[in-house]
Amino acid sequence: MPQFFSFFCLFSLLSFAAQAQPKAAQTRPTYCNPLNLDYGYTPIPNFATAGRHRATADPVITRYKGDYYLFSTNQWGYWWSHDLSSWKFIPRHFLRPEHKVYDDLCAPAVFVLGDTLLVYGSTHEKNFPIWMSTNPKVDDWKEAVHNFQVGAWDPDFFLDTDGKLYLYWGSSNSLPLYGQQISRKTFQPIGEPKIMFGLNDKQFGWQRFGEYLDNTFLDPFMEGAWMTKHGGRYYLQYGAPGTEFSGYADGVQVADAPLGPFTPQPHNPFAYKPGGFARGAGHGNTFQDAWDSWWHVSTLVINGKNNFERRLGLWPAGFDAEGTLYTNTAFGDYPHYLPTGPANHLQPQFTGWMLLNYQRPVQVSSTLGGHLPNYAVDENIKTYWSAATARPGEFIQTDLGSVNTVRAIQINYADQDAEFLGKSLGVFHQYKLYHSLDGKTWQLLVDKSRNKTDVPHDYIELAKPVKTRFIKLENQHMPTGKFAISGLRVFGLGSGAKPAAVKDFVVLRTEKDPRSAWLRWAPVDGAYAYNIYFGLASDKLYSCIMVHSANDYTFKGMDKDRPYYFTIEAINENGVSTRTPVVLAK
């Protein structure tokens, strides 16, 4: 065989092999709850007597003309995004001069009719407009209806596939949710309102009011209606039992017709996050991304300076093969992947990047009163460290304990001595992040000293991982108040071993009240937290509770008549243990 022919054959084979190699997967962007939005401050003076603070809740995300639009309570505007990552705020007041209330678009209803985006805010009156826009990337709105004749608090408009329009509403600890057909041409109500359903906390433990689900001083609240149609069935979702509590969650009932009759889905609540850094997953909405994968956005609880101090969280969601609506909140405040294509949300969208500095040693430049340094690393969003001032150079430094691989950092600012009421435009944070192997020689890691954006929960995914031991956050500028941090959270992978599997896991269901159970297990050396998974079948453990620095948990969220299945895993900075065998609690 001639030499040039052999070379040609070899070249062809190498070219074919190169073409046959799979292309490297494109890096998927990530996000971390709470969502990093330029939240406005509460506009209500009576809500700020213990300190002015950022606050919003009751979110709705709707796709319109290929983009995502996010509306929530009392923000004096709304956001839009093309990728669920970068959000642009559009200032807008939705009250007319004669509306003498603080609630500017409280718990809004957002829906699409044809080529038009429509918005309506909560009211008990009959003098609020329905607004419409075909160009919502700017403040370009006009009234579709001057005075909508159904006074509806926590409203939700739903356009059925047959073209009929419905309204659902209700926010009360004594009244049910209501539903009614609305003319899509005149927006006038058709017929009379119908009762959809109410709460039943005697049956469902998670619906009991209070931080400890004990109905201590009020009956539970039902609110935040949202309708989703899937597989020809109607899923009417609602928030309960109270927006100020860790157990704030979203439940769902299902029907074959838009106005019922409805039956509770066996898996309830379907959106639930009572543990971890940022808690709560109630009063939100379920929507589809550009690839038709389902997501759920909902309210996170802070409840520090006021009951209604809250933020927003985003979770993968979906329907399983049997039509069960679920939301995946496991590691729900750790870095997760954003959508770049179709995804199976029964599979984790969690990156696997672990928290590296839980309760690790901290050094600070100064401390204000009882806002102690370790409150910035205690995985409790309610507590925070505050420096004595907001001067440039105030800093907080965290020791990871050993050299770790750092992939991302989340900076959660707290509101200490804030001065704003309502939305303030043009405000910003500026800072520098440094890292060090020995705590003496520092290298600049992230420089945001020229940043001009408001980033109260700034999340930085590093372009390249860095191996380091110490992270220092140095203040350059605060938009208002002192330099205060509720969570300086460092994510990546440690250099040691994953924790061993949990032993002696038992679930003791209360004999006289099967809504409740006591869970206990043997502590695992080196584990800083545990994930408890539970559900109604051994292969459908859709709910998760993260527990820190404890080896027991009182769970009071069950349907008294159903058996539940449980398993648990241990967590440390190096990864996650194998799960225990599933335990049945009848």
Side-chain angles (χ1 to χ4, degrees), residues 191-233:
E192 296 297 320
K194 290 185 62 177
I195 292 175
M196 299 294 95
F197 50 83
L199 294 180
N200 182 4
D201 58 307
K202 300 292 190 296
Q203 177 80 26
F204 305 111
W206 70 275
Q207 295 181 0
R208 288 176 282 185
F209 190 77
E211 183 66 22
Y212 303 105
L213 301 179
D214 51 17
N215 287 344
T216 296
F217 63 97
L218 280 176
D219 290 334
F221 282 79
M222 186 182 205
E223 53 197 4
W226 179 262
M227 176 63 84
T228 300
K229 188 176 184 180
H230 176 77
R233 307 197 75 200

Short mmCIF file of all heavy atoms in Angstrom, two decimals, residues 191-233:
data_model
loop_
_atom_site.label_atom_id
_atom_site.label_comp_id
_atom_site.label_asym_id
_atom_site.label_seq_id
_atom_site.Cartn_x
_atom_site.Cartn_y
_atom_site.Cartn_z
N GLY A 191 -72.97 34.35 36.54
CA GLY A 191 -73.54 33.57 37.63
C GLY A 191 -73.06 34.05 38.98
O GLY A 191 -72.57 35.17 39.15
N GLU A 192 -73.18 33.19 39.97
CA GLU A 192 -72.80 33.50 41.34
C GLU A 192 -71.51 32.78 41.72
O GLU A 192 -71.19 31.72 41.18
CB GLU A 192 -73.92 33.09 42.30
CG GLU A 192 -75.22 33.86 42.11
CD GLU A 192 -75.04 35.34 42.37
OE1 GLU A 192 -74.31 35.69 43.34
OE2 GLU A 192 -75.61 36.14 41.61
N PRO A 193 -70.75 33.33 42.68
CA PRO A 193 -69.56 32.63 43.15
C PRO A 193 -69.92 31.27 43.75
O PRO A 193 -70.98 31.11 44.35
CB PRO A 193 -69.00 33.56 44.22
CG PRO A 193 -69.60 34.89 43.94
CD PRO A 193 -70.95 34.62 43.35
N LYS A 194 -69.04 30.31 43.58
CA LYS A 194 -69.21 28.98 44.16
C LYS A 194 -68.12 28.71 45.17
O LYS A 194 -66.97 29.11 44.98
CB LYS A 194 -69.17 27.91 43.06
CG LYS A 194 -70.36 27.89 42.13
CD LYS A 194 -70.26 26.71 41.16
CE LYS A 194 -70.28 25.38 41.91
NZ LYS A 194 -70.25 24.23 40.97
N ILE A 195 -68.48 28.03 46.25
CA ILE A 195 -67.48 27.59 47.22
C ILE A 195 -66.68 26.45 46.61
O ILE A 195 -67.25 25.47 46.11
CB ILE A 195 -68.15 27.15 48.53
CG1 ILE A 195 -68.76 28.36 49.24
CG2 ILE A 195 -67.14 26.45 49.44
CD1 ILE A 195 -69.55 27.99 50.50
N MET A 196 -65.35 26.58 46.65
CA MET A 196 -64.48 25.51 46.16
C MET A 196 -64.21 24.50 47.27
O MET A 196 -64.58 23.36 47.19
CB MET A 196 -63.17 26.12 45.63
CG MET A 196 -63.35 27.09 44.46
SD MET A 196 -63.95 26.33 42.94
CE MET A 196 -65.73 26.62 43.06
N PHE A 197 -63.55 24.94 48.33
CA PHE A 197 -63.30 24.07 49.50
C PHE A 197 -62.62 24.91 50.57
O PHE A 197 -62.17 26.04 50.32
CB PHE A 197 -62.42 22.86 49.13
CG PHE A 197 -61.16 23.20 48.38
CD1 PHE A 197 -60.02 23.62 49.04
CD2 PHE A 197 -61.12 23.09 47.00
CE1 PHE A 197 -58.86 23.94 48.35
CE2 PHE A 197 -59.96 23.41 46.29
CZ PHE A 197 -58.84 23.83 46.97
N GLY A 198 -62.54 24.36 51.77
CA GLY A 198 -61.87 25.01 52.88
C GLY A 198 -60.79 24.11 53.47
O GLY A 198 -60.48 23.05 52.92
N LEU A 199 -60.23 24.54 54.58
CA LEU A 199 -59.21 23.74 55.27
C LEU A 199 -59.87 22.69 56.16
O LEU A 199 -61.04 22.80 56.53
CB LEU A 199 -58.31 24.64 56.11
CG LEU A 199 -57.43 25.65 55.37
CD1 LEU A 199 -56.61 26.46 56.37
CD2 LEU A 199 -56.52 24.96 54.37
N ASN A 200 -59.08 21.69 56.53
CA ASN A 200 -59.52 20.65 57.44
C ASN A 200 -58.33 20.23 58.28
O ASN A 200 -57.72 19.18 58.06
CB ASN A 200 -60.09 19.45 56.66
CG ASN A 200 -60.61 18.36 57.56
OD1 ASN A 200 -60.63 18.51 58.79
ND2 ASN A 200 -61.03 17.24 56.98
N ASP A 201 -57.97 21.07 59.23
CA ASP A 201 -56.77 20.80 60.03
C ASP A 201 -56.97 19.66 61.01
O ASP A 201 -55.99 19.13 61.55
CB ASP A 201 -56.32 22.06 60.77
CG ASP A 201 -57.39 22.62 61.69
OD1 ASP A 201 -58.51 22.84 61.23
OD2 ASP A 201 -57.09 22.81 62.88
N LYS A 202 -58.20 19.23 61.24
CA LYS A 202 -58.41 18.03 62.06
C LYS A 202 -57.94 16.77 61.32
O LYS A 202 -57.57 15.78 61.95
CB LYS A 202 -59.90 17.89 62.41
CG LYS A 202 -60.48 19.05 63.19
CD LYS A 202 -59.90 19.11 64.58
CE LYS A 202 -60.65 20.12 65.46
NZ LYS A 202 -60.51 21.50 64.99
N GLN A 203 -57.94 16.85 59.99
CA GLN A 203 -57.49 15.73 59.15
C GLN A 203 -56.03 15.87 58.76
O GLN A 203 -55.27 14.91 58.82
CB GLN A 203 -58.35 15.66 57.88
CG GLN A 203 -57.95 14.58 56.88
CD GLN A 203 -58.46 13.22 57.27
OE1 GLN A 203 -59.47 13.14 57.97
NE2 GLN A 203 -57.79 12.17 56.85
N PHE A 204 -55.66 17.09 58.39
CA PHE A 204 -54.33 17.31 57.82
C PHE A 204 -53.48 18.13 58.79
O PHE A 204 -53.71 19.32 58.99
CB PHE A 204 -54.45 18.03 56.48
CG PHE A 204 -55.36 17.33 55.50
CD1 PHE A 204 -56.58 17.87 55.15
CD2 PHE A 204 -54.99 16.10 54.95
CE1 PHE A 204 -57.41 17.23 54.25
CE2 PHE A 204 -55.81 15.45 54.06
CZ PHE A 204 -57.03 16.01 53.70
N GLY A 205 -52.49 17.50 59.38
CA GLY A 205 -51.68 18.14 60.41
C GLY A 205 -50.96 19.38 59.94
O GLY A 205 -50.80 20.35 60.71
N TRP A 206 -50.51 19.41 58.69
CA TRP A 206 -49.74 20.55 58.20
C TRP A 206 -50.56 21.82 58.12
O TRP A 206 -49.99 22.91 58.05
CB TRP A 206 -49.15 20.23 56.83
CG TRP A 206 -50.15 20.15 55.70
CD1 TRP A 206 -50.88 19.08 55.33
CD2 TRP A 206 -50.52 21.22 54.82
NE1 TRP A 206 -51.69 19.39 54.27
CE2 TRP A 206 -51.49 20.69 53.93
CE3 TRP A 206 -50.15 22.55 54.68
CZ2 TRP A 206 -52.09 21.46 52.93
CZ3 TRP A 206 -50.74 23.32 53.68
CH2 TRP A 206 -51.69 22.77 52.82
N GLN A 207 -51.88 21.72 58.19
CA GLN A 207 -52.75 22.89 58.10
C GLN A 207 -52.97 23.59 59.45
O GLN A 207 -53.63 24.62 59.51
CB GLN A 207 -54.10 22.50 57.50
CG GLN A 207 -54.01 22.04 56.05
CD GLN A 207 -55.36 21.68 55.45
OE1 GLN A 207 -56.39 21.78 56.10
NE2 GLN A 207 -55.35 21.24 54.20
N ARG A 208 -52.41 23.05 60.51
CA ARG A 208 -52.56 23.70 61.81
C ARG A 208 -51.73 24.98 61.86
O ARG A 208 -50.62 25.04 61.36
CB ARG A 208 -52.14 22.74 62.93
CG ARG A 208 -53.13 21.62 63.16
CD ARG A 208 -52.65 20.64 64.20
NE ARG A 208 -51.64 19.71 63.67
CZ ARG A 208 -51.13 18.70 64.36
NH1 ARG A 208 -51.53 18.48 65.61
NH2 ARG A 208 -50.23 17.90 63.83
N PHE A 209 -52.26 25.99 62.53
CA PHE A 209 -51.64 27.32 62.59
C PHE A 209 -50.48 27.32 63.58
O PHE A 209 -50.47 26.61 64.58
CB PHE A 209 -52.68 28.35 63.02
CG PHE A 209 -52.24 29.77 62.89
CD1 PHE A 209 -52.20 30.40 61.66
CD2 PHE A 209 -51.87 30.49 64.01
CE1 PHE A 209 -51.81 31.73 61.54
CE2 PHE A 209 -51.48 31.82 63.91
CZ PHE A 209 -51.44 32.44 62.67
N GLY A 210 -49.46 28.14 63.29
CA GLY A 210 -48.38 28.38 64.23
C GLY A 210 -47.07 27.76 63.81
O GLY A 210 -47.01 26.84 62.99
N GLU A 211 -45.98 28.26 64.40
CA GLU A 211 -44.65 27.73 64.10
C GLU A 211 -44.55 26.26 64.49
O GLU A 211 -43.80 25.49 63.87
CB GLU A 211 -43.59 28.54 64.85
CG GLU A 211 -42.15 28.13 64.55
CD GLU A 211 -41.72 28.39 63.12
OE1 GLU A 211 -42.33 29.23 62.42
OE2 GLU A 211 -40.76 27.72 62.67
N TYR A 212 -45.31 25.85 65.49
CA TYR A 212 -45.26 24.47 65.96
C TYR A 212 -46.55 23.72 65.64
O TYR A 212 -46.84 22.68 66.26
CB TYR A 212 -44.95 24.45 67.46
CG TYR A 212 -43.68 25.17 67.79
CD1 TYR A 212 -43.71 26.44 68.37
CD2 TYR A 212 -42.44 24.61 67.46
CE1 TYR A 212 -42.53 27.12 68.63
CE2 TYR A 212 -41.26 25.30 67.72
CZ TYR A 212 -41.32 26.55 68.30
OH TYR A 212 -40.15 27.24 68.54
N LEU A 213 -47.33 24.24 64.70
CA LEU A 213 -48.55 23.58 64.24
C LEU A 213 -49.44 23.16 65.41
O LEU A 213 -49.84 22.01 65.54
CB LEU A 213 -48.19 22.36 63.38
CG LEU A 213 -47.36 22.64 62.12
CD1 LEU A 213 -47.06 21.34 61.38
CD2 LEU A 213 -48.05 23.63 61.20
N ASP A 214 -49.78 24.14 66.23
CA ASP A 214 -50.55 23.84 67.44
C ASP A 214 -51.81 24.68 67.59
O ASP A 214 -52.49 24.59 68.62
CB ASP A 214 -49.67 24.01 68.68
CG ASP A 214 -48.94 25.36 68.71
OD1 ASP A 214 -49.36 26.27 67.97
OD2 ASP A 214 -47.95 25.48 69.46
N ASN A 215 -52.13 25.53 66.59
CA ASN A 215 -53.34 26.37 66.66
C ASN A 215 -53.42 27.16 67.97
O ASN A 215 -54.50 27.33 68.54
CB ASN A 215 -54.61 25.51 66.50
CG ASN A 215 -54.80 25.03 65.08
OD1 ASN A 215 -54.19 25.54 64.14
ND2 ASN A 215 -55.66 24.03 64.91
N THR A 216 -52.29 27.67 68.42
CA THR A 216 -52.24 28.27 69.74
C THR A 216 -53.15 29.48 69.88
O THR A 216 -53.93 29.59 70.83
CB THR A 216 -50.79 28.68 70.08
OG1 THR A 216 -50.00 27.50 70.15
CG2 THR A 216 -50.72 29.40 71.42
N PHE A 217 -53.11 30.43 68.92
CA PHE A 217 -53.86 31.66 69.14
C PHE A 217 -54.76 32.06 67.97
O PHE A 217 -55.53 33.00 68.09
CB PHE A 217 -52.92 32.83 69.48
CG PHE A 217 -51.96 33.19 68.38
CD1 PHE A 217 -52.22 34.22 67.51
CD2 PHE A 217 -50.77 32.49 68.23
CE1 PHE A 217 -51.34 34.57 66.50
CE2 PHE A 217 -49.87 32.83 67.22
CZ PHE A 217 -50.15 33.86 66.36
N LEU A 218 -54.69 31.33 66.85
CA LEU A 218 -55.57 31.60 65.73
C LEU A 218 -55.88 30.30 65.00
O LEU A 218 -55.11 29.33 65.08
CB LEU A 218 -54.92 32.58 64.74
CG LEU A 218 -54.94 34.07 65.04
CD1 LEU A 218 -54.17 34.83 63.98
CD2 LEU A 218 -56.36 34.62 65.14
N ASP A 219 -56.99 30.31 64.29
CA ASP A 219 -57.26 29.22 63.37
C ASP A 219 -56.41 29.43 62.11
O ASP A 219 -56.00 30.55 61.79
CB ASP A 219 -58.74 29.18 63.00
CG ASP A 219 -59.61 28.73 64.16
OD1 ASP A 219 -59.10 28.00 65.03
OD2 ASP A 219 -60.80 29.12 64.20
N PRO A 220 -56.16 28.36 61.35
CA PRO A 220 -55.27 28.48 60.19
C PRO A 220 -55.90 29.29 59.05
O PRO A 220 -57.12 29.31 58.88
CB PRO A 220 -55.05 27.03 59.78
CG PRO A 220 -56.22 26.29 60.32
CD PRO A 220 -56.59 26.98 61.59
N PHE A 221 -55.01 29.93 58.27
CA PHE A 221 -55.42 30.72 57.12
C PHE A 221 -55.30 29.90 55.84
O PHE A 221 -54.36 29.12 55.66
CB PHE A 221 -54.55 31.97 56.99
CG PHE A 221 -54.93 33.06 57.94
CD1 PHE A 221 -54.53 33.01 59.27
CD2 PHE A 221 -55.69 34.13 57.52
CE1 PHE A 221 -54.87 34.01 60.16
CE2 PHE A 221 -56.05 35.14 58.40
CZ PHE A 221 -55.64 35.08 59.72
N MET A 222 -56.24 30.15 54.94
CA MET A 222 -56.22 29.58 53.59
C MET A 222 -56.21 30.74 52.61
O MET A 222 -57.00 31.68 52.74
CB MET A 222 -57.46 28.72 53.37
CG MET A 222 -57.46 27.97 52.05
SD MET A 222 -59.00 27.05 51.89
CE MET A 222 -58.47 25.76 50.79
N GLU A 223 -55.30 30.70 51.64
CA GLU A 223 -55.12 31.86 50.77
C GLU A 223 -54.38 31.43 49.50
O GLU A 223 -54.04 30.27 49.31
CB GLU A 223 -54.31 32.93 51.50
CG GLU A 223 -53.00 32.42 52.08
CD GLU A 223 -52.41 33.34 53.14
OE1 GLU A 223 -53.06 34.34 53.49
OE2 GLU A 223 -51.31 33.06 53.63
N GLY A 224 -54.14 32.41 48.63
CA GLY A 224 -53.23 32.22 47.51
C GLY A 224 -53.67 31.19 46.49
O GLY A 224 -52.89 30.30 46.13
N ALA A 225 -54.89 31.29 45.97
CA ALA A 225 -55.36 30.33 44.97
C ALA A 225 -54.52 30.40 43.69
O ALA A 225 -54.11 31.48 43.27
CB ALA A 225 -56.82 30.61 44.64
N TRP A 226 -54.31 29.24 43.09
CA TRP A 226 -53.66 29.15 41.78
C TRP A 226 -54.15 27.88 41.08
O TRP A 226 -54.11 26.81 41.67
CB TRP A 226 -52.14 29.13 41.87
CG TRP A 226 -51.53 29.01 40.50
CD1 TRP A 226 -51.08 27.88 39.88
CD2 TRP A 226 -51.34 30.07 39.56
NE1 TRP A 226 -50.62 28.15 38.62
CE2 TRP A 226 -50.77 29.51 38.39
CE3 TRP A 226 -51.60 31.44 39.60
CZ2 TRP A 226 -50.46 30.27 37.27
CZ3 TRP A 226 -51.28 32.20 38.48
CH2 TRP A 226 -50.72 31.61 37.34
N MET A 227 -54.61 28.04 39.83
CA MET A 227 -55.13 26.91 39.08
C MET A 227 -54.15 26.49 37.98
O MET A 227 -53.63 27.34 37.24
CB MET A 227 -56.48 27.25 38.45
CG MET A 227 -57.05 26.15 37.55
SD MET A 227 -57.42 24.61 38.43
CE MET A 227 -59.04 25.01 39.07
N THR A 228 -53.92 25.17 37.88
CA THR A 228 -53.14 24.58 36.80
C THR A 228 -53.94 23.44 36.20
O THR A 228 -54.51 22.62 36.93
CB THR A 228 -51.79 24.04 37.32
OG1 THR A 228 -51.04 25.10 37.90
CG2 THR A 228 -50.98 23.40 36.19
N LYS A 229 -53.99 23.37 34.89
CA LYS A 229 -54.64 22.25 34.21
C LYS A 229 -53.57 21.33 33.64
O LYS A 229 -52.64 21.78 32.98
CB LYS A 229 -55.56 22.74 33.10
CG LYS A 229 -56.42 21.63 32.48
CD LYS A 229 -57.39 22.19 31.45
CE LYS A 229 -58.31 21.09 30.91
NZ LYS A 229 -59.27 21.64 29.90
N HIS A 230 -53.72 20.04 33.91
CA HIS A 230 -52.74 19.06 33.42
C HIS A 230 -53.46 17.73 33.20
O HIS A 230 -54.20 17.27 34.06
CB HIS A 230 -51.60 18.88 34.43
CG HIS A 230 -50.62 17.82 34.03
ND1 HIS A 230 -49.66 18.03 33.05
CD2 HIS A 230 -50.46 16.55 34.45
CE1 HIS A 230 -48.96 16.93 32.91
NE2 HIS A 230 -49.41 16.02 33.74
N GLY A 231 -53.21 17.15 32.05
CA GLY A 231 -53.81 15.86 31.75
C GLY A 231 -55.32 15.87 31.79
O GLY A 231 -55.94 14.86 32.15
N GLY A 232 -55.92 17.01 31.46
CA GLY A 232 -57.38 17.12 31.46
C GLY A 232 -57.99 17.33 32.82
O GLY A 232 -59.22 17.40 32.94
N ARG A 233 -57.17 17.45 33.87
CA ARG A 233 -57.68 17.64 35.22
C ARG A 233 -57.26 19.01 35.76
O ARG A 233 -56.29 19.61 35.29
CB ARG A 233 -57.20 16.52 36.16
CG ARG A 233 -57.50 15.12 35.63
CD ARG A 233 -57.38 14.10 36.74
NE ARG A 233 -58.53 14.17 37.63
CZ ARG A 233 -58.54 13.69 38.88
NH1 ARG A 233 -57.45 13.11 39.38
NH2 ARG A 233 -59.62 13.77 39.63
#
